[in-house]
Amino acid sequence: MGDPELHSAAEVRDALDAAAEPERAAGAARYFKTGRGGYAEHDRFIGVAVPKTRAIVRRALALPPDETAALVASPVHEERLAGLLIMVERFRSAGRTRTRDDAARTAEHERYLAAVRAGHVDNWDLVDATAEALLGEVVFSSAPVDDVVPTIVGELVASDSLWLRRVAVISTFAAIKAGDARPTLALAAGLLDDREPLMHKAVGWMLREVGKRVDRAELTGFLDEHAARMPRTMLSYATEHLDPGERARYRAMR
């Protein structure tokens, strides 16, 4: 007999607390830069491994929306992650049913945008685990063909918030997987002067995926035009899977 289902935010918190490891919490706090001046200065970790968090999430998929929202708004990182992963799983489950439940998917998408705007999706792992599904799979499947950057993505990428900009960029992974590099390339061109290292990594990662999953020529065309201006980390990530000679040529353009 498996572990019982969880039906409230309090029960999820108790399960996470039971799985917490103080030594892991200390390591996560360092890794995620929670020290003074770090990008996650005010975040709090209790030390739950991600596989254990995902196992708890599988027991909590029937959590009511208000209880899920309570987790997403928590000051504890693992609780926010659990709440967001519940939303992702419900979103994807609604898309797998024989009678696809678009209303349920839209509801999770709208709750996600509310959480993003409220500042609850505020670390790179939270963004990377959610933006492709809860934003990208909605806006890039419903936008007109000529709407390269849907309005909401344009609004997010123009934000002063590092996390909102990262949500916008990572959401384009859904377009990449659908064979469309245009949203990624459009956002990347506008982010060449972004000062945040975590944005350099996100943009470079998405550019690399364009070359791997869509068309290598799309990536190299972008690099031919922009490599000289690209931040070092962005360029390094973007060229990671090119052959050594080509990679060296682009990196020498800086």
Side-chain angles (χ1 to χ4, degrees):
M1 189 172 183
D3 292 323
E5 288 189 0
L6 305 172
H7 298 286
S8 69
E11 289 179 357
V12 173
R13 289 190 187 102
D14 288 345
L16 290 168
D17 286 343
E21 303 173 49
E23 289 185 5
R24 181 179 291 275
R30 290 190 298 272
Y31 182 68
F32 284 96
K33 311 296 184 188
T34 64
R36 186 178 181 85
Y39 59 74
E41 182 175 352
H42 301 294
D43 213 345
R44 176 185 161 203
F45 289 82
I46 58 174
V48 184
V50 172
K52 291 183 178 180
T53 299
R54 289 188 178 276
I56 290 167
V57 163
R58 288 193 291 271
R59 298 164 55 199
L61 298 182
L63 214 64
D66 59 336
E67 295 290 306
T68 307
L71 292 173
V72 172
S74 171
V76 176
H77 187 97
E78 290 90 343
E79 292 179 14
R80 296 200 305 285
L81 177 60
L84 290 164
L85 291 177
I86 289 169
M87 293 168 65
V88 171
E89 288 303 313
R90 288 200 295 231
F91 175 87
R92 292 218 158 118
S93 177
R96 286 193 296 263
T97 55
R98 181 173 298 178
T99 55
R100 179 184 171 99
D101 191 345
D102 286 328
R105 286 165 63 87
T106 298
E108 295 297 350
H109 164 68
E110 291 175 350
R111 292 180 190 119
Y112 179 67
L113 284 179
V116 167
R117 288 167 169 152
H120 301 318
V121 188
D122 59 351
N123 216 316
W124 60 262
D125 63 322
L126 305 181
V127 173
D128 296 359
T130 58
E132 176 194 340
L134 293 173
L135 177 59
E137 290 185 18
V138 175
V139 300
F140 293 113
S141 65
S142 60
V145 173
D146 58 351
D147 190 4
V148 174
V149 178
T151 300
I152 182 57
V153 176
E155 291 174 0
L156 294 175
V157 83
S159 171
D160 290 335
S161 165
L162 156 65
W163 306 119
L164 269 62
R165 298 199 305 280
R166 188 165 174 121
V167 165
V169 169
I170 301 302
S171 77
T172 70
F173 209 169
I176 291 169
K177 289 182 177 179
D180 188 357
R182 295 175 304 156
T184 302
L185 299 180
L187 294 191
L191 290 166
L192 297 176
D193 297 321
D194 198 294
R195 296 186 177 184
E196 293 287 351
L198 285 174
M199 287 303 298
H200 302 168
K201 293 177 180 179
V203 173
W205 171 24
M206 291 299 100
L207 287 172
R208 182 186 71 203
E209 295 302 320
V210 164
K212 288 172 59 180
R213 296 171 181 265
V214 182
D215 188 344
R216 185 174 171 279
E218 294 265 23
L219 171 60
T220 56
F222 183 90
L223 295 173
D224 289 340
E225 183 176 356
H226 298 294
R229 281 188 57 205
M230 291 172 68
R232 188 179 303 277
T233 299
M234 186 188 297
L235 183 60
S236 177
Y237 272 58
T239 58
E240 194 172 44
H241 289 281
L242 298 181
D243 66 70
E246 200 168 23
R247 188 165 62 241
R249 180 173 68 83
Y250 284 121
R251 295 180 184 183
M253 291 172 64
R254 291 190 72 258

